[in-house]
Amino acid sequence: MTSSASPKPVHAVIGDVVGSREHASRRAVQEALVRALEVADAGVTSIQRPEPTIGDEFQSVHAELADALVVTVLVRLALPEELDVRFGIGIGTLEVVGSSPYGLTQDGPAWWAARQAVVEVGERQRSMPHLRTRVVPAPTAASPDTGLVNAYLETRDFIVTGFDGRLRRIAAGLLAGRSIGQIADSEGISASAVSQRVRRGGVRALTESVAHLPRGAS
């Protein structure tokens, strides 16, 4: 079958549900993941939308690094409190080599780098249990300062890992453009209670960091 290669570097995302086999219902895990991916898809621009692949993994591809960074946090926030995901973001070219019931069959440096990034998250979690996300460029890819990006992710992951279910929903609501009042109504609490959680729980730091992600960076 004829293959198709990306002409310039893209940002490939691999996500893997943490400890999925430990949950009583794998079906419930998969259904929660699909819902989270739908929420995340609405908030980013994708070359390949975030979709499940095999097991409890999913993949997506983005032209901009900012969208790859945003999709990873949106998935985390959209999942119920008992679920979490580790992510690898690879920067490089990719190649479409076929198709399968799970979508396009892809290969290439971007995917190899993304898989390496997932491995590095697992290794680094021994000293940083909060870590969930890492960026790795392919050896031949022109890329931004990934050391700076990974420093941002280490801090962002620390904040988000500390969120309970309500803080996840509040942050997700703000990133989706919902007002404090709308979020308060859906949570069944007062607007002032939501505002206090935004100020004290790290939600504002998260939403501001997302708003300031540079666009147009490869």
Side-chain angles (χ1 to χ4, degrees):
M1 181 176 291
T2 302
S3 65
S4 175
S6 61
K8 61 181 181 179
V10 296
H11 304 86
V13 177
I14 295 176
D16 179 31
V17 178
V18 177
S20 59
R21 291 183 177 85
E22 299 172 5
H23 294 274
S25 172
R26 294 287 297 279
R27 181 188 181 95
V29 170
Q30 189 70 11
E31 290 174 348
L33 177 61
V34 169
R35 290 193 296 270
L37 295 180
E38 291 172 349
V39 171
D41 182 43
V44 297
T45 300
S46 306
I47 297 172
Q48 176 188 327
R49 62 182 296 182
E51 294 179 323
T53 53
I54 299 174
D56 297 315
E57 285 195 354
F58 71 89
Q59 297 180 349
S60 64
V61 181
H62 309 273
E64 294 213 28
L65 177 59
D67 285 316
L69 297 175
V70 171
V71 78
T72 56
V73 76
L74 290 180
V75 171
R76 291 192 72 192
L77 295 175
L79 286 170
E81 184 176 4
E82 64 273 14
L83 294 178
D84 211 341
V85 178
R86 65 174 63 90
F87 302 91
I89 301 173
I91 304 175
T93 57
L94 58 80
E95 192 174 15
V96 177
V97 297
S99 61
S100 73
Y102 300 99
L104 296 176
T105 303
Q106 300 182 1
D107 199 356
W111 291 118
W112 307 335
R115 183 63 65 186
Q116 177 60 33
V118 173
V119 171
E120 290 187 12
V121 170
E123 293 172 347
R124 289 172 179 270
Q125 281 182 317
R126 298 168 188 166
S127 58
M128 292 185 289
H130 64 275
L131 189 65
R132 295 292 182 275
T133 321
R134 191 157 181 84
V135 176
V136 170
T140 58
S143 62
D145 185 347
T146 52
L148 186 61
V149 176
N150 283 318
Y152 161 71
L153 289 171
E154 289 166 5
T155 304
R156 190 187 77 176
D157 284 352
F158 180 81
I159 293 172
V160 177
T161 301
F163 285 178
D164 60 16
R166 174 162 283 172
L167 280 176
R168 285 190 184 190
R169 294 190 298 272
I170 290 172
L174 291 174
L175 289 173
R178 300 177 67 200
S179 69
I180 292 290
Q182 290 172 325
I183 295 170
D185 289 343
S186 64
E187 291 294 318
I189 57 179
S190 67
S192 63
V194 173
S195 295
Q196 288 177 15
R197 282 179 169 261
V198 168
R199 289 195 304 270
R200 299 174 183 175
V203 173
R204 184 62 68 195
L206 171 65
T207 58
E208 288 295 309
S209 77
V210 170
H212 287 100
L213 286 172
R215 294 283 173 174
S218 61

